[in-house]
Amino acid sequence: MSDNKVTVGPPKVTRFEKARIVGARALQISMGAPILVDADETVSNPIDIALKEMDVAILPITIRRTLPNGAFQDIPLKWLL
C-alpha cells in the first residue's frame, strides 16, 4: 500500500463510519475519557463534543476497510477528512 493514498473504498469518510466513530467517542466521553477540544456552553452533551472533535480532525482513530476477498487497508481518520 502506498503512503497517504486510500486504495480501499471512497476517499472520504462514509456516513456509516462517521456514525460509528461519533457513537464510540461519545460513549468514551460519557464514561469519563478526557475531552480533546475546548468545551463551551453551546457544546455540552457527549455527541456534540464527539462531533466537534471529529470536525477538528483531532481524533487518533484508524479505520479498517476490508474488501470481500479479505484484503484490507488501515486508514487514519485524518486522511479521510
Side-chain angles (χ1 to χ4, degrees), residues 23-45:
R25 182 63 185 145
L27 179 64
Q28 291 174 350
I29 292 169
S30 68
M31 298 295 286
I35 298 172
L36 303 175
V37 294
D38 293 330
D40 52 8
E41 295 82 28
T42 60
V43 181
S44 60
N45 65 8

Side-chain angles (χ1 to χ4, degrees), residues 1-41:
M1 304 278 166
S2 63
D3 293 323
N4 292 347
K5 185 168 183 190
V6 178
T7 58
V8 178
K12 297 278 186 182
V13 65
T14 66
R15 61 187 171 145
F16 307 106
E17 292 167 340
K18 183 175 180 177
R20 174 67 190 251
I21 291 167
V22 169
R25 182 63 185 145
L27 179 64
Q28 291 174 350
I29 292 169
S30 68
M31 298 295 286
I35 298 172
L36 303 175
V37 294
D38 293 330
D40 52 8
E41 295 82 28

Side-chain angles (χ1 to χ4, degrees), residues 35-78:
I35 298 172
L36 303 175
V37 294
D38 293 330
D40 52 8
E41 295 82 28
T42 60
V43 181
S44 60
N45 65 8
I47 293 175
D48 290 339
I49 295 170
L51 283 169
K52 188 173 180 182
E53 287 180 345
M54 189 165 180
D55 289 340
V56 176
I58 198 168
L59 292 175
I61 292 180
T62 302
I63 296 173
R64 175 168 284 184
R65 289 186 176 167
T66 308
L67 293 174
N69 66 1
F72 65 89
Q73 182 181 13
D74 291 334
I75 308 165
L77 184 61
K78 290 180 183 180

